[in-house]
């Protein structure tokens, strides 16, 4: 769903917490229904799939009428969107004085 | 009723200007009380920033309902124009779009940390706005003093050649210039020495990417101060890319650094909201009254008074004007609260041909300076181009937006990962900070109907952009188009009357949208005459000889430089004058005593 491998997701240290948040917010039955299919067929499953991808990519849980919130510092710090271009979320990593002068290193997405 | 506490000086506001004045006068041995309306600020600012959804300039602060700070989220655009909610009421055709922070350290707690000097040309008169009563040469020694206090990193030769600034022989900045970003190098490669045309100028303008002086730590320059060198406070900048609103490692100057240097003669009271400056029948001010509160106390407070020989208002351009209007002071010219200025910023954004690695390092390390000066500014507002290193965050928002956009198109999996990487990794922006001339119609007044938690009237702002400014934006957009073409970049700039663009307008049939650079100024501007200005060249009220109004509110024009360094230089210059005045008064008193004493 995210385009990141299970190993990459586990390496964030956010997987367990993420699962707990999704369970709490969406409920086991909706999550179970989602797990059963690869392409979400119905609008509800699609919404849930988006919410899960969103929380992985940005650390923000936003679904339905709920006010969006940052799940945790780690969720923000491990946001996948930053990893897609070899970056890090603002305020989480100090790569070192002058590091910004080098060309970016971009890791290619797993095939 | 207890006798009010007595100080030599009361400073209202613990921000940039107030902290500097307090330090200078405290070092002179004067007993100084600083009254700050906000709280002491969050110890957990980085945590607060990380866990707040909308990472605006106020997002590292804990909310203070009693002393609210205006926020960019208070404004929303739409087809019918903008709407404003929150602390400031707005009645103008266009919104004043800049937040400011009511917390100890003031807006300097969450500033970008760019500290270019104003150019000698900026102090001249170009047929619009107001005149400065002093020039670059008057301020030059104080620029150097401010660069020492703040700790500025820049290359003096680059500033001399690339900007045209004069410096004394042998001067170097305290620290070496910050390394450029990779993006800067990509742009310099494509743009340096190429020419573009400005629709309001006869000839072409040559482009050059020039380093911007930074208030963040770099290697100190051993040649500084005649070879004595410079010892920076705090760590070297490690590139957290969150300078605004918070540097997690304290590599950027904030007024809290100056406060740490205060001598014991300076006392700070936070949660002290001054609501009245008192005066006597001779026109001298005698002290202030303030509301002392506890956070979360729903407006309950006690009123305290202090007396002082000298009162300094340093509470931000809007709040200084508000306090003067509430106190009925300093308005012999009728200019208090008028001439509200900002740097309206036109942003353009796009994708470079190859990845540049945005969101690494400071928000902007270079700019393009060629449109700041010259005859063009008689016709259209001049502008300075900042090269924006943090993707599209100021233009549109953080990459969360790109995620949502792709998810809405049902893009998932490796496709999502690949497309986000290709997109966000190439994002960049140009930020055109446009000079706005003083216009008495742009003003701060009081709202008798909407009061704050203490019952004091809130500020009302009336703001608009002149055709002079709009022509500057039109020129900026044309220049941007040519820069994007030279870069071979995909231009994604689009201005729409939508919620995220409250500064939307049309000019000559073309849409534009601006944001506020946070450079509020002009509300108690200085001038050569009491008839048409609020303060003299020392930032002293024409009407009250022991009342000083310091900060960007005193500036009669902003030029195109981020104004904090100039505000700091002015504050240090004024502090010397205050010290002289206090000493003269003290000598006079001592002489009186001696003359009257029995022999």
């Amino acid at each position: 769903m995210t385009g990141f491998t299970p190993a990459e997701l586990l390496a964030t240290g956010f997987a367990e917490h993420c699962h707990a948040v999704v369970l709490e917010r969406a409920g086991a039955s909706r999550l179970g229904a989602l797990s059963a299919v690869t392409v979400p067929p119905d609008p509800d499953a699609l919404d849930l799939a988006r919410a899960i991808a969103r929380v992985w990519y940005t650390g923000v849980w936003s679904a339905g009428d709920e006010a969006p919130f940052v799940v945790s510092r780690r969720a923000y710090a491990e946001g996948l969107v930053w990893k897609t271009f070899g970056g890090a979320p603002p305020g989480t990593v100090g790569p070192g004085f002058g590091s910004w002068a080098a060309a970016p290193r971009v890791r290619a997405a797993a095939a | 009723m207890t006798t009010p506490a007595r100080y030599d000086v009361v400073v209202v506001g613990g921000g940039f200007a107030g902290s500097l004045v307090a330090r200078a006068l405290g070092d002179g041995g004067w007993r100084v009380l600083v009254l700050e309306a906000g709280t002491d600020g969050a110890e957990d600012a980085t945590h607060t920033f990380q866990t707040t959804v909308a990472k605006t300039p106020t997002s590292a602060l804990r909310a203070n309902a009693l002393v609210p700070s205006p926020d960019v989220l208070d404004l929303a655009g739409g087809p019918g124009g903008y709407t404003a909610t929150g602390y400031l009421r707005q009645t103008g055709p266009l919104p004043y779009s800049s937040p400011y922070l009511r917390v100890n350290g003031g807006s300097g707690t969450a500033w970008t940390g760019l500290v270019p000097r104003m150019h000698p040309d900026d102090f001249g008169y170009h047929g619009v706005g107001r005149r400065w009563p002093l020039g670059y040469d008057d301020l030059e020694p104080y620029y150097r003093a401010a660069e020492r206090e703040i700790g500025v990193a820049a290359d003096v030769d680059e500033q001399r050649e690339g900007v045209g600034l004069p410096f004394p022989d042998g001067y170097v900045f305290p620290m070496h210039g910050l390394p450029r970003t990779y993006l800067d190098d990509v742009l310099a490669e494509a743009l340096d020495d190429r020419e573009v045309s400005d629709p309001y100028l006869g000839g072409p303008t040559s482009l050059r990417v020039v380093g911007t002086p930074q208030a963040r730590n770099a290697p100190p320059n051993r040649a500084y101060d005649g070879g004595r060198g410079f010892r920076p406070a705090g760590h070297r900048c490690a590139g957290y890319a969150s300078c605004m609103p918070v540097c997690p490692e304290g590599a950027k100057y904030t007024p809290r650094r100056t406060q740490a240097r205060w001598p014991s003669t300076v006392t700070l009271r936070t949660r002290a909201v001054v609501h009245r400056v008192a005066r006597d029948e001779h026109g001298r001010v005698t002290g202030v009254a303030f509301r002392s509160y506890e956070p979360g106390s729903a407006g309950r407070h006690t009123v305290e008074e202090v007396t002082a020989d000298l009162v300094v208002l340093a509470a931000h351009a809007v709040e200084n004007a508000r306090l003067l209007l509430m106190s009925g002071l300093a308005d012999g010219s009728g200019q208090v609260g008028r001439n509200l200025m900002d740097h309206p910023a036109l942003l353009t954004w796009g994708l470079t041909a190859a990845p540049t690695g945005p969101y690494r390092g400071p928000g902007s390390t270079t700019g393009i300076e060629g449109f700041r000066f010259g005859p063009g500014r008689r016709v259209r507002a001049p502008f300075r181009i900042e090269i924006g290193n943090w993707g599209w965050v100021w233009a549109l928002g953080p990459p969360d937006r790109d995620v949502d956009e792709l998810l809405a198109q049902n893009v998932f999996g490796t496709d999502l990962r690949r497309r986000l990487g290709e997109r966000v990794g190439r994002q960049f922006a140009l930020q055109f900070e446009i000079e706005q001339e003083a216009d008495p119609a742009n003003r701060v007044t009081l709202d008798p109907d909407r009061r704050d938690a203490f019952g004091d009237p809130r500020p009302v702002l009336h703001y608009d952009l002149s055709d002079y400014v709009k022509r500057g934006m039109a020129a900026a957009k044309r220049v941007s188009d040519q820069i994007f073409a030279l870069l071979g970049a995909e231009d994604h700039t689009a201005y729409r009357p939508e919620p995220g663009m409250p500064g939307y307008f049309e000019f000559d049939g073309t849409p534009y949208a601006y944001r506020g650079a946070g450079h509020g100024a002009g509300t108690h501007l200085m001038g050569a005459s009491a008839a048409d200005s609020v303060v003299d060249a020392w930032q002293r009220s024409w009407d009250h000889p022991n009342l000083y109004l310091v900060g960007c509110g005193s500036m009669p024009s902003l030029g195109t430089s981020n104004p904090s360094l100039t505000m700091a230089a002015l504050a240090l210059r004024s502090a010397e004058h205050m010290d002289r005045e206090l000493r003269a008064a003290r000598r006079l008193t001592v002489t009186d005593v001696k003359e009257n004493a029995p022999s």
Side-chain angles (χ1 to χ4, degrees):
Chain A
M1 183 188 293
T2 61
F4 283 75
T5 64
E8 285 173 316
L9 295 182
L10 282 171
T12 64
F14 174 57
E16 207 171 311
H17 185 203
C18 182
H19 187 247
V21 168
V22 176
L23 265 184
E24 181 196 328
R25 298 282 152 178
S29 63
R30 279 182 75 199
L31 192 58
L34 185 61
S35 315
V37 289
T38 43
V39 180
D42 67 273
D44 181 65
L46 200 52
D47 276 349
L48 180 57
R50 286 197 193 104
I52 294 170
R54 187 180 295 117
V55 77
W56 269 113
Y57 267 87
T58 67
V60 174
W61 180 261
S62 169
D65 299 332
E66 250 184 303
F69 65 95
V70 177
V71 164
S72 68
R73 284 180 87 163
R74 171 151 289 219
Y76 169 71
E78 297 292 341
L80 299 178
V81 64
W82 306 96
K83 299 182 201 296
T84 65
F85 63 96
T92 61
V93 176
F97 182 79
S99 55
W100 49 85
R105 284 180 303 168
V106 190
R107 270 175 298 171
Chain B
M1 184 81 193
T2 54
T3 312
R6 174 152 197 89
Y7 288 85
D8 296 318
V9 183
V10 167
V11 176
V12 180
F16 232 111
S19 297
L20 290 169
V21 166
R23 181 182 181 200
L25 294 179
D27 283 347
W30 303 107
R31 289 183 65 242
V32 182
L33 175 67
V34 179
L35 296 172
E36 165 56 48
T39 61
D40 205 37
E43 291 301 318
D44 53 354
T46 301
H47 182 272
T48 307
F49 164 75
Q50 290 178 351
T51 52
T52 302
V53 173
K55 294 185 168 40
T56 69
T58 64
S59 61
L61 291 185
R62 275 175 290 190
N64 182 350
L66 297 179
V67 180
S69 297
D71 193 1
V72 291
L73 300 177
D74 295 343
L75 295 170
Y82 76 94
T83 55
T85 53
Y87 174 64
L88 299 174
R89 187 152 76 90
Q90 301 219 30
T91 60
L94 288 170
Y96 177 82
S97 303
S98 284
Y100 56 91
L101 267 58
R102 301 174 75 202
V103 67
N104 186 31
S107 305
T109 302
W111 68 311
T112 54
L114 303 184
V115 278
R117 292 184 179 196
M118 280 175 62
H119 190 277
D121 196 43
D122 292 331
F123 294 89
Y125 185 66
H126 308 283
V128 297
R130 298 290 294 263
R131 291 171 198 271
W132 280 80
L134 52 80
Y136 181 87
D137 292 343
D138 298 307
L139 210 50
E140 203 285 328
Y142 301 98
Y143 269 136
R144 276 180 278 144
E147 284 157 357
R148 173 191 287 275
E149 175 70 21
I150 289 170
V152 174
D155 182 320
V156 73
D157 292 330
E158 188 178 31
Q159 290 300 301
R160 206 178 260 130
E161 289 151 25
V163 187
L165 287 170
F167 294 93
D169 288 344
Y171 182 67
V172 297
F173 285 89
M175 294 175 282
H176 290 287
L178 229 64
R180 295 172 167 206
T181 63
Y182 179 73
L183 171 70
D184 294 335
D185 286 337
V186 168
L187 263 64
E189 175 74 24
L191 302 179
D192 275 359
D193 301 322
R194 305 293 293 269
E195 290 183 337
V196 297
S197 67
D198 169 339
Y200 297 100
L201 290 183
T205 301
S206 183
L207 301 176
R208 177 156 290 272
V209 174
V210 178
T212 307
Q214 307 272 330
R216 46 180 54 81
N217 291 339
N221 192 334
R222 286 185 190 170
Y224 182 68
D225 195 13
R228 280 179 286 275
F230 180 78
R231 181 179 292 213
H235 297 135
R236 209 168 276 187
C237 171
Y240 275 88
S242 64
C243 331
M244 198 180 68
V246 63
C247 175
E249 59 184 345
K252 183 189 66 181
Y253 173 87
T254 79
R256 300 291 284 267
R257 233 188 236 175
T258 291
Q259 294 183 5
R261 297 167 187 151
W262 280 345
S264 59
T265 43
V266 180
T267 306
L268 172 70
R269 283 276 305 266
T270 57
R271 294 174 280 104
V273 192
V274 175
H275 62 286
R276 194 177 72 250
V277 181
R279 54 164 288 184
D280 66 17
E281 66 272 24
H282 308 296
R284 293 182 68 83
V285 295
T286 54
V288 304
F290 63 97
R291 306 185 190 281
S292 170
Y293 68 92
E294 292 297 326
S297 64
R300 280 193 311 281
H301 63 277
T302 54
V303 172
E304 296 182 43
E305 293 180 13
V306 291
T307 62
D309 294 332
L310 208 130
V311 175
V312 182
L313 303 192
H316 185 267
V318 171
E319 296 297 326
N320 269 2
R322 177 184 180 223
L323 185 51
L324 290 170
L325 293 169
M326 281 162 60
S327 304
L329 289 177
D331 202 18
S333 64
Q335 296 298 308
V336 167
R338 294 186 180 273
N339 307 300
L340 175 65
M341 293 176 270
D342 193 6
H343 279 134
L346 184 85
L347 306 189
T348 61
W349 56 97
L351 302 177
T352 45
T356 51
Y359 295 98
R360 295 184 302 156
S364 177
T365 41
T366 62
I368 296 171
E369 313 283 338
F371 304 92
R372 296 174 60 186
F373 320 114
R377 71 194 300 177
R378 298 196 74 85
V379 185
R380 52 103 181 107
F383 49 91
R384 180 171 179 278
I385 309 175
E386 268 180 28
I387 295 173
N389 183 42
W390 291 348
W392 296 354
V393 69
W394 196 19
L396 295 178
D400 302 38
R401 206 185 141 274
D402 301 286
V403 174
D404 281 342
E405 223 172 86
L406 288 170
L407 288 176
Q409 298 165 29
N410 295 335
V411 179
F412 286 95
T414 49
D415 206 18
L416 177 64
R417 177 178 183 174
R418 184 183 51 78
R419 285 176 66 177
L420 278 170
E422 281 175 7
R423 181 152 151 180
V424 184
R426 295 190 293 138
Q427 289 179 348
F428 79 108
L430 300 178
Q431 302 161 180
F432 298 78
E433 304 216 353
I434 297 175
E435 182 172 32
Q436 175 175 32
E437 80 280 18
D439 175 352
N442 288 338
R443 65 186 298 201
V444 180
T445 52
L446 300 178
D447 191 338
D449 301 322
R450 285 169 78 254
R451 291 175 179 266
D452 67 13
F454 303 116
D456 297 318
R458 290 206 245 173
V460 185
L461 270 51
H462 182 99
Y463 185 80
D464 199 3
L465 303 182
S466 68
D467 282 359
Y468 176 75
V469 173
K470 291 175 179 175
R471 285 194 294 273
M473 283 196 191
K477 182 63 172 65
R478 291 280 290 276
V479 167
S480 177
D481 294 345
Q482 296 167 74
I483 288 177
F484 274 77
L486 286 169
L487 282 171
E490 269 176 52
D491 196 343
H492 285 247
T493 309
Y495 307 117
R496 300 185 198 90
E498 61 186 30
M501 295 191 187
Y504 176 89
F505 67 92
E506 290 169 18
F507 181 62
D508 283 345
T510 306
Y512 298 94
Y514 65 94
R515 301 209 179 273
H519 300 165
T523 55
H524 44 81
L525 51 71
M526 64 167 66
S529 160
D532 64 1
S533 62
V534 182
V535 296
D536 64 15
W538 302 109
Q539 302 188 83
R540 174 163 68 169
S541 160
W542 289 108
D543 301 350
H544 313 287
N546 61 338
L547 175 65
Y548 289 78
L549 315 172
V550 302
C552 293
S554 295
M555 293 172 67
S557 73
L558 279 172
T560 51
S561 297
N562 311 52
S564 294
L565 181 77
T566 301
M567 166 169 61
L570 287 169
L572 293 173
R573 182 173 181 270
S574 291
E576 283 189 4
H577 188 260
M578 295 173 203
D579 180 70
R580 284 195 295 272
E581 291 289 302
L582 285 163
R583 281 181 204 289
R586 192 57 54 96
R587 272 197 301 276
L588 205 61
T589 314
V590 172
T591 315
D592 285 348
V593 171
K594 278 184 185 157
E595 281 172 358
N596 295 332
S599 52

